Amino acid sequence: ENLPRYRKAVDRARAWLDAGEIENALKTLTPREQNAVRLFFLHDRKYREIAALTGMPQNSIGPTLARALVKLRKIIENV
C-alpha cells in the first residue's frame, strides 16, 4: 500500500523545487491523478481513505499514483 521509494523522491523534489513549481507540475496531471497525489503525498492518506474521499476503487489508486509519478518525474528532470 505504501510507496516508500516514491516518498523519498518527493522529499528530494521538495528540497529543490519551490511550492509554485510543485503546484505547476501537479497541474499537468489529470484531476484524478492530482487528487491521488495530493491526498497520498501531501496529506499522508492511506489508499482506503483516498478511495473513500474520492470514490476511486482502492485497487486503482496505486496504478494512478504510479502514472502520475512517471509524469512528474519527467517534468522535474527538465527543471
Side-chain angles (χ1 to χ4, degrees):
E1 182 172 312
N2 290 322
L3 302 172
R5 68 176 182 232
Y6 293 121
R7 285 198 186 276
K8 289 178 186 176
V10 168
D11 289 340
R12 284 194 306 269
R14 282 182 180 158
W16 57 270
L17 290 175
D18 69 31
E21 290 170 319
I22 292 171
E23 190 59 34
N24 287 338
L26 287 173
K27 287 178 183 176
T28 67
L29 303 176
T30 67
R32 179 183 174 116
E33 292 167 340
Q34 287 180 39
N35 286 336
V37 167
R38 283 190 171 101
L39 289 169
F40 187 78
F41 290 106
L42 303 179
H43 299 287
D44 294 319
R45 299 292 185 146
K46 304 241 184 261
Y47 283 16
R48 70 179 177 281
E49 295 172 310
I50 296 169
L53 290 167
T54 64
M56 291 173 59
Q58 187 171 337
N59 64 350
S60 72
I61 294 168
T64 299
L65 287 170
R67 281 191 303 276
L69 292 171
V70 167
K71 292 177 184 179
L72 291 172
R73 183 176 293 123
K74 288 178 183 177
I75 292 166
I76 289 168
E77 287 173 354
N78 291 322
V79 170

